[in-house]
Amino acid sequence: MILQVENLNVNYGGIHALKDVSLEVEEGEIVTIIGANGAGKSSLLKTISGIVKPSSGKIIFMGQDITRKNPDAVAALGIAHVPEGRKMFANLTVLENLEVGAFLVQGQSQVRRNLEMVYSVFPRLKERSNQLAGTLSGGEQQMLAIARGLMMRPKLLMMDEPSLGLAPVLVNAIFEKIREINREGTTVLLVEQNAHKALKIAHRAYVLETGGILISGPAAQLASNPMIQKAYLGKKVG
Amino acid sequence: MPPLLRVSHLTKKFGGLTAVEDFNLEIKPGELVGLIGPNGAGKTTVFNMLTGINKPTAGEIIFEGKKLNDLPPYEIAHLGIARTFQNIRLFTNLTVYENVKTACHQIADYGILDSVFRTAQFRKQETAINAAALQILKLVKLYDRKDEIARNLPYGHQRRLEIARALALRPKLLLLDEPAAGMNPQESAELSEFIDWLRKDFKLTILLIEHHMDVVMNICNRVIVLNFGKTIATGSPAEVQANPAVIEAYLGDEEASA
Ligand SMILES: Nc1ncnc2c1ncn2[C@@H]1O[C@H](COP(=O)(O)OP(=O)(O)O)[C@@H](O)[C@H]1O
Ligand SMILES: Nc1ncnc2c1ncn2[C@@H]1O[C@H](COP(=O)(O)OP(=O)(O)O)[C@@H](O)[C@H]1O
Ligand SMILES: [Mg+2]
Ligand SMILES: [Mg+2]
């Protein structure tokens, strides 16, 4: 078990955003979390990465309790978080953005090795290494956001809606990249609105509804569940 | 019926880059036209020209017989063109309700609120605005969250709030820039129904930029496809979906069959 979340509760003032959420991720898996807007998906990722503090519950990463650690400490242990909405430094180049992503990596030679690895996954970024990030196309920006997360060679890569705002052809490309990254040995925790595609590439899935886990199981099984099809895949059933 | 909007030979250059080239479009009242294409194809730039944010390098924009090319954005808004933004633009520190009210105020200053909202029974304009804002919030199903700070709303709800703000301007032509971004299939299906209903019940004319093909396929009468600023296809949703050039540039193989 690489990640274990136990009975996590998160409150924002009066809003109970996460209610007794428990979840497990095995090493080597792609696990996806799907759910409507406001279900608490981003809050869950933010709590795991230390940005939001839970009111109760436990988060264990590779045997270590990380529940109340700050974001830098969590990142140093090997969890990368690619946030919603491709946040990046628009006025820095692609290369500079990637170097910022490697701020926790020790030694220039290691940074260079990681950069080569990232460029081999995203050759397009190598071509654009001196372009300002703000002038990249939407698809390229999303690739850069993921690449930046990969620069610290995380053991667990968490992504919040990587397909948002991308043309269909790029959505396919991004999901293909996620699969590739996972095959190379990175465990993936994926929050996605595109439930069709997420359930296709994930091994297991959790459905979050108004802050609580509604159902979980093998992704293929959830994809064929009529209730899930109706509520989350937009299919007209019956 | 004469077209509500007629765009001919519209072109926009940014330095050496031609973002939009020889774009042509006629929309009749009540039509819903889709504008699709890869990231960077020039879709938002078309909206920016229609709303006066970017001045066209060449070509003409005629709305209800009036040339818009040189008008500033606020005049275009008052003529009846409203839009939403791909990168959500809300007053993030104000409540949901306040966000819609500030939009209502924009047209209230022109004194047409009473006529369009048929709220003559209210003596005070402020009361009318409050009522109009609340009515719009009910329409977009954000009434229950009206007192929340906009920044704290989930992404998909912020998108609905953007639409509410555009509706508050009571437009004739509504431009929606990726309204379904960040919504799951069920939510985008609901949004499709909502947009279609707006078109029918409010007799709105709509130009829609969207990457969610289910939305485009379900509700658009016609679709225009841009690639590198050029129009590469136009036709019914089914026609463009089967067009090899569109599959190649935009849909990808898998999506076309899905
Ligand atoms: N900083 C915050 N302050 C107050 N409420 C918040 C904050 N962040 C999120 N929320 C609320 O918590 C709930 C879950 O939000 P979020 O985790 O963003 O959901 P999702 O990512 O599934 O759309 C929503 O009701 C949202 O409005
Ligand atoms: N203000 C600007 N200055 C320079 N280039 C711009 C500007 N606005 C847009 N562009 C460029 O014009 C092209 C079309 O962009 P845009 O209309 O935003 O595409 P889309 O909405 O189809 O993704 C892109 O190459 C973009 O980088
Ligand atoms: Mg979210
Ligand atoms: Mg755009």
Side-chain angles (χ1 to χ4, degrees), chain B residues 161-204:
Chain B
L161 182 53
E162 273 255 323
I163 297 178
R165 283 175 51 81
L167 288 176
L169 301 173
R170 284 292 158 147
K172 293 171 194 150
L173 176 64
L174 180 63
L175 311 178
L176 299 172
D177 199 347
E178 299 191 27
M183 296 194 179
N184 73 22
Q186 173 62 24
E187 290 163 336
S188 50
E190 282 169 20
L191 182 77
S192 300
E193 276 179 29
F194 175 67
I195 294 171
D196 200 38
W197 173 80
L198 279 180
R199 175 173 76 87
K200 288 179 182 139
D201 269 42
F202 288 75
K203 306 206 167 34
L204 268 178

Side-chain angles (χ1 to χ4, degrees), chain B residues 43-44 86 177-178 209:
Chain B
K43 306 177 298 293
T44 297
Q86 176 181 349
D177 199 347
E178 299 191 27
I209 297 175

Side-chain angles (χ1 to χ4, degrees), chain B residues 12-247:
Chain B
K12 180 68 193 178
K13 293 190 175 153
F14 294 108
L17 174 88
T18 305
V20 176
E21 190 175 341
D22 195 17
F23 180 78
N24 295 283
L25 164 73
E26 275 190 14
I27 309 188
K28 293 192 202 65
E31 264 195 305
L32 202 174
V33 176
L35 185 57
I36 64 173
N39 300 92
K43 306 177 298 293
T44 297
T45 303
V46 169
F47 276 19
N48 286 343
M49 287 190 280
L50 294 180
T51 52
I53 292 174
N54 288 155
K55 292 291 156 230
T57 309
E60 213 175 38
I61 305 167
I62 309 284
F63 180 69
E64 293 193 306
K66 199 173 158 88
K67 186 167 167 181
L68 301 188
N69 289 46
D70 298 315
L71 296 184
Y74 70 90
E75 277 187 36
I76 294 176
H78 284 115
L79 288 174
I81 302 182
R83 74 177 292 179
T84 64
F85 289 89
Q86 176 181 349
N87 302 313
I88 296 174
R89 294 190 185 180
L90 298 170
F91 295 106
T92 52
N93 292 324
L94 297 186
T95 67
V96 169
Y97 185 30
E98 286 160 348
N99 264 281
V100 179
K101 276 202 284 188
T102 52
C104 288
H105 272 287
Q106 284 182 46
I107 56 165
D109 298 337
Y110 276 65
I112 56 174
L113 191 81
D114 282 14
S115 60
V116 290
F117 285 101
R118 298 194 255 331
T119 49
Q121 71 269 34
F122 292 109
R123 248 179 271 123
K124 289 202 194 94
Q125 196 173 49
E126 201 56 33
T127 324
I129 285 174
N130 293 349
L134 291 175
Q135 185 198 338
I136 290 166
L137 284 172
K138 279 182 192 154
L139 287 182
V140 302
K141 296 199 188 128
L142 281 176
Y143 185 81
D144 292 343
R145 311 195 71 152
K146 68 179 166 48
D147 297 321
E148 282 182 49
I149 302 295
R151 160 172 33 84
N152 294 339
L153 284 185
Y155 194 79
H157 293 175
Q158 293 189 17
R159 292 220 155 266
R160 289 220 298 269
L161 182 53
E162 273 255 323
I163 297 178
R165 283 175 51 81
L167 288 176
L169 301 173
R170 284 292 158 147
K172 293 171 194 150
L173 176 64
L174 180 63
L175 311 178
L176 299 172
D177 199 347
E178 299 191 27
M183 296 194 179
N184 73 22
Q186 173 62 24
E187 290 163 336
S188 50
E190 282 169 20
L191 182 77
S192 300
E193 276 179 29
F194 175 67
I195 294 171
D196 200 38
W197 173 80
L198 279 180
R199 175 173 76 87
K200 288 179 182 139
D201 269 42
F202 288 75
K203 306 206 167 34
L204 268 178
T205 309
I206 299 173
L207 191 53
L208 169 74
I209 297 175
E210 189 46 67
H211 286 308
H212 287 220
M213 282 308 285
D214 44 356
V215 176
V216 174
M217 295 303 293
N218 280 336
I219 60 175
C220 290
N221 306 118
R222 262 184 312 134
V223 180
I224 301 174
V225 190
L226 291 184
N227 192 26
F228 294 115
K230 295 199 177 82
T231 303
I232 59 164
T234 61
S236 71
E239 280 163 1
V240 300
Q241 204 182 29
N243 182 317
V246 178
I247 293 172

Side-chain angles (χ1 to χ4, degrees), chain A residues 37 165 169-170 193 197 230-231, chain B residues 39 156 182 184 186-187 250 255:
Chain A
N37 266 290
V169 65
L170 288 173
Q193 291 292 358
K197 290 259 153 51
K230 185 163 184 295
Chain B
N39 300 92
N184 73 22
Q186 173 62 24
E187 290 163 336
Y250 181 63
E255 198 67 23

Side-chain angles (χ1 to χ4, degrees), chain A residues 61 70-80 103-105 152-155:
Chain A
F61 179 66
N70 66 39
D72 280 3
V74 173
L77 288 172
I79 299 183
F103 74 106
L104 288 163
V105 177
M152 46 176 275
R153 291 223 145 209
K155 298 186 181 77

